[in-house]
């Protein structure tokens, strides 16, 4: 058992050390979305817009975890122990991918909540599609060009030129389109699951409230 755990730790450091850092980056936009879209009083001043730009810049880090499946494929191909791969690394990578995707879904649900609150419910779907497009581009730049979110500030000219080059080249454009479709489909499925769970939790909470009021009636 000790040998298996030691082997798993070695494999993790070699192939999966990215998980903690990537999950941290994926949850930054989720935290920002709560501040941007879920506060009772929201003033769209210059500070709000700066945080919104940061939110958009970091948002691709959440669906980016979908592409990290390549690390799991490398582990499987490396010929490590079947038990280590099956019991540790497949669940670990699946959890990381699902957590990143869920952070993305919740971030956009919060954005949709804000639009609905502002009386712009009809723009929710369009905003989601536009966000998927931007994130598909961001995922491509992160995975293949190896850019980070902060490169938009540190080297914006390089990011702009590389992006322009990729958008006018056939192969990168195809990859971006495929990434967009993968993000859109994954988001659509996970959004329905998430909304269903939220609705169920609300029903349970409402039922508990009714039960409490029955057991402890107000006097």
């Amino acid at each position: 058992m000790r040998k298996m755990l030691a082997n798993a730790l070695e494999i993790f450091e070699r192939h999966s050390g990215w998980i903690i850092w990537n999950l941290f980056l994926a949850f930054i936009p989720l935290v920002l979305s709560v501040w941007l879209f879920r506060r009772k009083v929201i003033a769209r001043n210059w500070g709000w817009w700066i945080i919104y730009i940061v939110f958009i810049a970091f948002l691709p880090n959440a669906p980016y975890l979908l592409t990290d499946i390549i690390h799991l494929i490398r582990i499987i191909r490396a010929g490590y122990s079947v038990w280590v791969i099956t019991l540790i690394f497949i669940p670990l990578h699946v959890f990381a991918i699902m957590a990143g995707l869920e952070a993305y879904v919740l971030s956009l649900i919060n954005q949709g909540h804000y639009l609905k609150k502002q009386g712009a419910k009809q723009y929710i779907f369009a905003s989601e599609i536009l966000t998927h497009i931007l994130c598909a581009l961001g995922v491509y730049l992160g995975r293949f060009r190896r850019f980070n979110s902060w490169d938009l500030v540190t080297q914006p000219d390089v990011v702009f030129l590389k992006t322009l080059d990729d958008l006018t080249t056939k192969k990168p454009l195809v990859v971006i389109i495929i990434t967009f479709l993968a993000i859109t489909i994954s988001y659509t499925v996970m959004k329905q699951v998430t909304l269903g769970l939220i609705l169920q939790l609300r029903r349970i909470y409402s039922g508990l409230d009714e039960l409490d009021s029955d057991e402890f009636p107000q006097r």
Side-chain angles (χ1 to χ4, degrees):
M1 185 66 179
R2 287 183 179 180
K3 184 178 181 180
M4 186 176 75
L5 291 176
N7 189 29
L9 182 59
E10 179 185 352
I11 299 171
F12 178 82
E13 292 176 351
R14 183 177 301 177
H15 296 283
S16 304
W18 54 267
I19 287 179
I20 297 175
W21 176 247
N22 282 7
L23 281 175
F24 170 74
L25 294 177
F27 276 84
I28 289 177
L30 175 57
V31 173
L32 294 178
S33 74
V34 174
W35 188 88
L36 286 167
F37 308 129
R38 286 289 183 174
R39 290 178 298 150
K40 290 184 178 179
V41 179
I42 300 176
R44 283 186 294 182
N45 50 30
W46 62 268
W48 188 92
W49 284 107
I50 290 175
I51 298 300
Y52 180 74
I53 292 172
V54 175
F55 164 75
I56 293 297
F58 275 88
L59 189 57
N61 289 295
Y64 178 87
L65 281 151
L66 287 169
T67 68
D68 282 332
I69 191 68
I70 64 173
H71 295 292
L72 179 59
I73 295 173
R74 288 172 183 170
I75 292 175
I76 294 173
R77 288 180 175 177
Y80 294 111
S81 168
V82 174
W83 293 108
V84 171
I85 293 173
T86 304
L87 298 178
I88 298 178
F89 285 96
I90 289 179
L92 180 63
H93 282 251
V94 170
F95 168 78
I97 291 170
M98 296 302 292
L101 183 58
E102 185 62 21
Y104 182 68
V105 170
L106 290 174
S107 296
L108 291 197
I109 287 177
N110 290 338
Q111 179 179 265
H113 170 81
Y114 174 76
L115 290 174
K116 186 177 180 180
K117 191 176 179 180
Q118 295 297 313
K121 183 179 179 180
Q122 66 273 21
Y123 298 114
I124 292 178
F125 179 73
S127 70
E128 290 177 342
I129 295 298
L130 179 59
T131 303
H132 297 336
I133 294 172
L134 292 175
C135 283
L137 178 59
V139 169
Y140 174 84
L141 293 175
R143 172 55 65 192
F144 296 98
R145 291 294 191 178
R146 308 309 297 169
F147 284 123
N148 295 303
S149 298
W150 45 87
D151 287 327
L152 291 171
V153 176
T154 59
Q155 45 181 341
D157 54 335
V158 177
V159 174
F160 175 76
L161 291 175
K162 293 293 185 182
T163 301
L164 189 61
D165 181 56
D166 290 336
L167 290 176
T168 54
T169 306
K170 185 176 180 180
K171 186 176 179 180
L173 190 58
V174 170
V175 175
I176 292 170
I177 292 172
I178 293 173
T179 305
F180 164 75
L181 292 175
I183 291 174
T184 302
I185 294 171
S186 300
Y187 171 80
T188 302
V189 174
M190 283 298 295
K191 181 182 180 181
Q192 296 307 311
V193 172
T194 301
L195 291 176
L197 289 174
I198 292 174
L199 180 60
Q200 188 64 25
L201 288 173
R202 285 179 177 174
R203 287 175 177 173
I204 294 174
Y205 181 75
S206 176
L208 289 175
D209 283 348
E210 293 176 1
L211 182 62
D212 289 342
S213 62
D214 290 338
E215 293 182 348
F216 304 100
Q218 296 180 354
R219 295 180 180 179

